[in-house]
Every structure is written in structure tokens, then in C-alpha cells.
């Protein structure tokens, strides 16, 4: 007794790292063909690289990728530490944004159920939506439904949304409907890499936050990629 | 630790990380808890069947906040009028709304609350926010085990919790009471911990306390208070803080020996 430390490392229990689920909902419609899709792919690759260089963020962030035109789940929520390379995105089709949002939100709800069942803590999820055009779902009401669903989640402080318009034809009005409390931003040119670098730094901040911490956005960093 | 009116107890409070004066808020919360629980132990114990009057919870929080606000006026003199005004005015506009000013000032003092009070073979506990309250329990055969009394309240998200200054504090305050001894076992100690030690001494999924917590009680009983505090500090710094970035606080309240129950 009277030893230097009372407990040893072997005495401690293991609790999983709290997870930060991030859903990327990305426009890969035909209008993204050429340099835009190349820059988007490079941006996503940089996001992977940047998050994996941060040990805490790597162990916390779980990423899902939903693309549209056609709307599909490119990758379900996967720990960043377990993903070798991001999927290669290709440009094709129209812009069923509402359908893609539904997939994003459904997979997000399913992932939270997994966390709850497994007793894994998690941070407020992030939904990142990027589009360069106007939505055109087969069932037009689906966008209204998902916009209402998002608004409800935001009001209940269950979701953080980043809505980004890319290119000259992006429908900022629609983006404002799915991001009612944070003004959608316009990506400057094809600066996807700058945006995803900013995003990776932002998720790193969240993965380090503790109860009672406010998690302010890097507003200055926005100037690196957004038209402000 | 507090000891008055025949009541002995411990209190722990963890200030909110991002709030400028939460260290003052947590210091006052501990002081308040000692006085309040010592003076009103019988009233608090009356909820033995688990049905604590909501009015009791509201009164506790209201009393705490009134005291906190009154105390903050004195701190204003201590920390400098400009410093307090700066933090308050940055969140209010020129047209000062007294209610908002009050709310902002209190918010900067946000802290959690964990307290255990014991009197005449009975105990009462209060818990608001994260962290854990546990008990060392001794069975008739002398064996000991750790038991969870109150789990952390983080809401849905890992980086959120409730503080004494939160609007929902009265609803989310948890009160417990009971007897130290029943036919089969006896509570021989209590442990309070903030969210730092919680992350490595409390298994969240199955909701159990690390058996190694018994080592803390063993050390507590076999050395002086000063020696124990040094060992505990060393443990927090060299072992627990290697696994967490959160604030680390632990408080213990225990019998001198884990008395063995009569076999009769």
C-alpha cells in the first residue's frame, strides 16, 4: 500500500471510441462528366487521406457515400480505419436528389440503431449534400418529404447539414430547403479538394469534443473554397 | 467532503469545458451540495420508494441557481467587471434583456453534480450530468463487489450532457436513497467519478464498474488521507489520463473497514 499508482493499465475497461457518422450525398449526374467528377474524386480521396492522418478522427469517423444519377448507396457506413481506398465515382444520369437524400437518411437511422444496440456512443451525425443542378425525382413529393424530415431532425438537434452548390446551374433554392438553418454555400470553381480538406479538419474537431464543448465551424476556412 | 448535522458525504462537480467560468460554477456547486444535503437529508430521504417529488428536484435546482447567481455577483468583483461583461455582452445585443443576461451569465458557470450523503445507516444520492456514482458492496461472506448506483446522462450524443444551469436540469436530476444495510449485504463505500475516469472505469454497454475500483477502497483504508490523495493523483495522471482527454476527478466515501455482516 502507499504505492505510486493504485491502478495499472490492465485494470482499466475498454469502451469503443465514440463514432461520428458522416454521410456524403454527392451529385454524380451527367453534367458532372469530365473535370468536375475528376475533381470530386480527388477531393474525396484527400478527405480519406486527411482523416486517416489524424488518429483520433480515423478511429471516430464512419463514412457513407450516396451518389445520384441514379440514386444509389455507393458505400454504407464504414469506419475510416477500415477503408482502403474511396470508391471511384463516375458521372451518369439525372439528378434524383430526393431519392438520394432518403437513402442517406435511412442508412443513417440504421447506423444509429447499430450503435445503440452495440452500446457505442456517437456524435451528432453530419450530412453533406453537393449538387450542380436541379432535382428531378420520378416521384416529385419525395424531395418535400425528405426536406421536412431533415428540418425536423435539425430542429431536434439530431443532424448537422452542409449543403453545397457546385457549378453555375446549382439550384441554391432547393439546397436552402434542405439546409434551413445554415445558408447553403457555393463552391468556388471546382475547389472540391479545398472543401474536403476543410471538412476533414472540421470532423477532427468534433472527434475531440467533450460534453459541454461548443464545436464552432472554421468560418475563416470557408473562404478557402466557398463563394462568400 | 462535508460533515454537519450528523450527515457525512462527498460531492463532485465537473465544469463544462467550453464555458469560461465553469470552474467557479463547479466549486460553488460542491459547496452548495454539502450544505443542502446536510440540512435537508431527512426530506431527501423521504423518497425511499423512488417516488421523489418533482417539487423537491425543482427546489434543489432553483436553490442552487439562486445561490450561484448571487455568488457570481461577487465573482464579478473578483475577476474584473470588464472580463465578465465581455463574456456576457458578446452574447447579448445592446438592448440588454435582463432575462437573457441572467441566462448567459449562468450558462458560463455550467457544471455537473454528483453527491452522496450518509446519516444513521441511510444514504441519499443526487446525480445530474455525466460521470458515475457507484457503491462498494460487502456480502455476508465478506466478499466485495462494485455496484452501479447512477449511470452517466449524456443524452443521445457523446459530447452532450446536462448541467445544473440547463433548462432541463430539474427534469433530468436523479435522486436515489436507501439503507446501507439489508439482510444480505452492506454498502461499505461510495465512489463518484467525472467523465474522464468514467471512460476507463465504467463499461458503458453492460453498465458495470471495473472491479479494480475495489483497489481504490483498499488503498483508501490502509494509508493516511494525504498518502491516498498522492497515490490517487498519481493514478489519475499516470494511468487514467493516458487513456482520456476529459477532466479526471474521483471522490470516495467509505467505512474504516468493510465490516463483515453477522452470520446469524
Amino acid at each position: 500500500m502507499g504505492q505510486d499508482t493504485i491502478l495499472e493499465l490492465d485494470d482499466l475497461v475498454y469502451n469503443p471510441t465514440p463514432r461520428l457518422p458522416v454521410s456524403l450525398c454527392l451529385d454524380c449526374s451527367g453534367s458532372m462528366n469530365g473535370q468536375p467528377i475528376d475533381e470530386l474524386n480527388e477531393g474525396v480521396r484527400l478527405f480519406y487521406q486527411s482523416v486517416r492522418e489524424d488518429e483520433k478522427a480515423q478511429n471516430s469517423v464512419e463514412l457513407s457515400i450516396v451518389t445520384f444519377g441514379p440514386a444509389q448507396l455507393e458505400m454504407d457506413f464504414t469506419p475510416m480505419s477500415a477503408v482502403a481506398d474511396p470508391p471511384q465515382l463516375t458521372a451518369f444520369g439525372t439528378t434524383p436528389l430526393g431519392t438520394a437524400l432518403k437513402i442517406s437518411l435511412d442508412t443513417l437511422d440504421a447506423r444509429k440503431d447499430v450503435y445503440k444496440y452495440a452500446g457505442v456512443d456517437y456524435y451528432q451525425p453530419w450530412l453533406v449534400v453537393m449538387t450542380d443542378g436541379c432535382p428531378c425525382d420520378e416521384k416529385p413529393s419525395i424531395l418535400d418529404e425528405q426536406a421536412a424530415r431533415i428540418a425536423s431532425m435539425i430542429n431536434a438537434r439530431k443532424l448537422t447539414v452542409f449543403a453545397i452548390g457546385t457549378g453555375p446551374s446549382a439550384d441554391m433554392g432547393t439546397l436552402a430547403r434542405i439546409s434551413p438553418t445554415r445558408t447553403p454555400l457555393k463552391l468556388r470553381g471546382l475547389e472540391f479538394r479545398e472543401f474536403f480538406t476543410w471538412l476533414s479538419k472540421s470532423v477532427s474537431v468534433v472527434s475531440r469534443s467533450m460534453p459541454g464543448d461548443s464545436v464552432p465551424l472554421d468560418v475563416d476556412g470557408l473562404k478557402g473554397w466557398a463563394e462568400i | 467532503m462535508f460533515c454537519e448535522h450528523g450527515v457525512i458525504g462527498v460531492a463532485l462537480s465537473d465544469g463544462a469545458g467550453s464555458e469560461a467560468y465553469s470552474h467557479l460554477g463547479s466549486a460553488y456547486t460542491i459547496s452548495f451540495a454539502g450544505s443542502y444535503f446536510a440540512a435537508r437529508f431527512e426530506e431527501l430521504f423521504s423518497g425511499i420508494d423512488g417516488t421523489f417529488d418533482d417539487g423537491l428536484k425543482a427546489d434543489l435546482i432553483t436553490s442552487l441557481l439562486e445561490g450561484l447567481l448571487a455568488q457570481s455577483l461577487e465573482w464579478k468583483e473578483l475577476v474584473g467587471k470588464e472580463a465578465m461583461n465581455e463574456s456576457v455582452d458578446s452574447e447579448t445585443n445592446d438592448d440588454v434583456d435582463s432575462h437573457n443576461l441572467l441566462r448567459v451569465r449562468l450558462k458560463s458557470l455550467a457544471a455537473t453534480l454528483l453527491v452522496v450523503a450518509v446519516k444513521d445507516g441511510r444514504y441519499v444520492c443526487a446525480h445530474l450530468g455525466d460521470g458515475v456514482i457507484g457503491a462498494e458492496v460487502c456480502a455476508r461472506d465478506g466478499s466485495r463487489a462494485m455496484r452501479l448506483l447512477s449511470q452517466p446522462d449524456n443524452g443521445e450524443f457523446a459530447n452532450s450532457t446536462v448541467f445544473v444551469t440547463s433548462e432541463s436540469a430539474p427534469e433530468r436530476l436523479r435522486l436515489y436513497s436507501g439503507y446501507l444495510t439489508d439482510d444480505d449485504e452492506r454498502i461499505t463505500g461510495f465512489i463518484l467519478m467525472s467523465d474522464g475516469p468514467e471512460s476507463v472505469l465504467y463499461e458503458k454497454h453492460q453498465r458495470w464498474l471495473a472491479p479494480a475500483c475495489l483497489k481504490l477502497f483498499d488503498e483508501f483504508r490502509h494509508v493516511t488521507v494525504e498518502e491516498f490523495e498522492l497515490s490517487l493523483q498519481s493514478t489519475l495522471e499516470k494511468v487514467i489520463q493516458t487513456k482520456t482527454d476529459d477532466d479526471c476527478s474521483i471522490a470516495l466515501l467509505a467505512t474504516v473497514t468493510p465490516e463483515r455482516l453477522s452470520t446469524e
Side-chain angles (χ1 to χ4, degrees):
Chain A
M1 298 301 173
Q3 63 212 38
D4 188 33
T5 63
I6 307 168
L7 302 178
E8 305 297 330
L9 286 173
D10 287 345
D11 290 324
L12 306 183
V13 303
Y14 167 76
N15 285 302
T17 303
R19 301 296 198 262
L20 172 59
V22 177
S23 179
L24 302 182
C25 189
L26 306 175
D27 188 336
C28 295
S29 57
S31 56
M32 288 286 289
N33 202 21
Q35 191 179 6
I37 198 71
D38 291 342
E39 292 297 327
L40 176 59
N41 274 314
E42 181 60 13
V44 174
R45 188 194 69 77
L46 274 174
F47 179 76
Y48 270 63
Q49 179 182 309
S50 187
V51 169
R52 285 215 286 261
E53 286 171 357
D54 180 333
E55 185 180 356
K56 203 150 182 117
Q58 180 186 224
N59 291 332
S60 180
V61 175
E62 294 197 342
L63 189 71
S64 92
I65 299 178
V66 173
T67 56
F68 52 101
Q72 59 185 8
L73 179 63
E74 203 73 43
M75 184 179 78
D76 201 349
F77 281 101
T78 307
M80 291 296 286
S81 56
V83 183
D85 294 301
Q88 192 69 12
L89 308 175
T90 55
F92 175 77
T94 57
T95 314
L97 172 60
T99 309
L101 287 173
K102 184 176 189 312
I103 295 173
S104 286
L105 295 174
D106 287 349
T107 51
L108 183 55
D109 282 345
R111 193 60 179 174
K112 288 195 295 184
D113 287 341
V114 169
Y115 294 151
K116 290 170 188 170
Y117 179 79
V120 176
D121 290 339
Y122 56 95
Y123 299 103
Q124 187 186 65
W126 284 22
L127 171 64
V128 178
V129 184
M130 300 186 89
T131 183
D132 75 340
C134 297
C136 57
D137 294 272
E138 260 190 47
K139 185 182 162 197
S141 63
I142 195 170
L143 181 58
D144 295 335
E145 291 160 10
Q146 301 315 306
R149 187 176 172 188
I150 289 172
S152 174
M153 292 175 77
I154 290 174
N155 287 338
R157 299 188 184 183
K158 303 285 189 183
L159 184 68
T160 289
V161 176
F162 295 98
I164 315 294
T166 67
S169 305
D171 183 351
M172 302 304 288
T174 294
L175 288 173
R177 290 178 57 204
I178 61 176
S179 181
T181 56
R182 177 178 285 118
T183 305
L185 293 172
K186 196 80 180 298
L187 188 75
R188 187 167 56 230
L190 294 176
E191 295 187 10
F192 288 97
R193 300 181 215 197
E194 288 77 5
F195 165 73
F196 280 102
T197 299
W198 174 88
L199 187 67
S200 68
K201 289 177 183 172
S202 300
V203 300
S204 287
V205 171
V206 173
S207 67
R208 283 173 166 70
S209 64
M210 299 167 205
D213 283 352
S214 58
V215 186
L217 273 184
D218 175 16
V219 179
D220 279 344
L222 292 175
K223 299 171 190 170
W225 55 268
E227 290 180 6
I228 298 179
Chain B
M1 193 201 79
F2 54 93
C3 181
E4 52 185 297
H5 306 303
V7 177
I8 188 167
V10 286
L12 185 153
S13 179
D14 189 9
S18 60
E19 297 298 344
Y21 302 103
S22 61
H23 58 291
L24 297 175
S26 61
Y28 178 81
T29 297
I30 288 173
S31 170
F32 167 87
S35 302
Y36 191 92
F37 275 71
R40 302 178 68 163
F41 182 93
E42 299 301 335
E43 186 180 354
L44 289 162
F45 184 77
S46 64
I48 182 66
D49 61 354
T51 56
F52 287 97
D53 188 338
D54 285 345
L56 191 62
K57 297 182 184 181
D59 179 79
L60 192 158
I61 296 298
T62 301
S63 299
L64 190 159
L65 293 180
E66 286 175 349
L68 195 55
L69 183 62
Q71 184 70 56
S72 73
L73 296 175
E74 294 185 26
W75 289 326
K76 194 173 176 180
E77 301 299 326
L78 287 172
V79 301
K81 190 172 181 178
E82 291 76 23
M84 277 297 266
N85 280 343
E86 192 173 52
S87 94
V88 168
D89 290 346
S90 65
E91 297 208 37
T92 63
N93 52 33
D94 290 338
D95 183 17
V96 175
D97 179 291
S98 61
H99 177 72
N100 276 339
L101 190 66
L102 170 65
R103 186 171 54 79
V104 169
R105 176 180 294 163
L106 282 176
K107 184 173 176 289
S108 69
L109 300 166
T112 63
L113 168 66
L114 297 85
V115 59
V116 171
V118 174
K119 179 182 180 183
D120 297 334
R122 299 166 295 155
Y123 72 89
V124 295
C125 298
H127 190 181
L128 184 69
D130 55 17
V132 168
I133 300 178
E136 177 196 56
V137 179
C138 185
R140 284 190 167 275
D141 62 3
S143 62
R144 293 179 302 148
M146 293 304 304
R147 175 173 300 158
L148 176 68
L149 286 186
S150 186
Q151 63 187 17
D153 177 3
N154 281 98
E156 182 176 359
F157 303 126
N159 57 348
S160 68
T161 190
V162 59
F163 301 102
V164 297
T165 51
S166 304
E167 285 191 29
S168 60
E171 291 78 46
R172 291 172 71 176
L173 174 66
R174 291 161 287 160
L175 296 174
Y176 313 86
S177 64
Y179 294 94
L180 294 179
T181 305
D182 66 21
D183 291 339
D184 299 314
E185 60 187 23
R186 176 188 174 94
I187 294 176
T188 48
F190 295 92
I191 183 168
L192 286 62
M193 62 184 76
S194 64
D195 59 344
E198 168 205 318
S199 66
V200 294
L201 293 178
Y202 171 66
E203 205 282 350
K204 295 181 182 181
H205 185 38
Q206 302 292 335
R207 300 182 187 175
W208 48 264
L209 281 159
C213 290
L214 294 172
K215 293 186 181 181
L216 296 174
F217 287 98
D218 290 340
E219 180 78 358
F220 188 59
R221 293 187 173 101
H222 289 88
V223 300
T224 66
V225 170
E226 292 76 20
E227 287 171 337
F228 177 75
E229 287 181 350
L230 284 174
S231 296
L232 182 59
Q233 182 177 350
S234 186
T235 301
L236 291 173
E237 291 172 353
K238 295 181 182 177
V239 180
I240 293 177
Q241 283 188 317
T242 64
K243 296 294 183 184
T244 176
D245 295 326
D246 294 328
D247 289 340
C248 291
S249 299
I250 289 178
L252 262 69
L253 179 68
T255 55
V256 174
T257 58
E259 298 169 22
R260 187 167 174 168
L261 295 170
S262 168
T263 54
E264 291 180 4

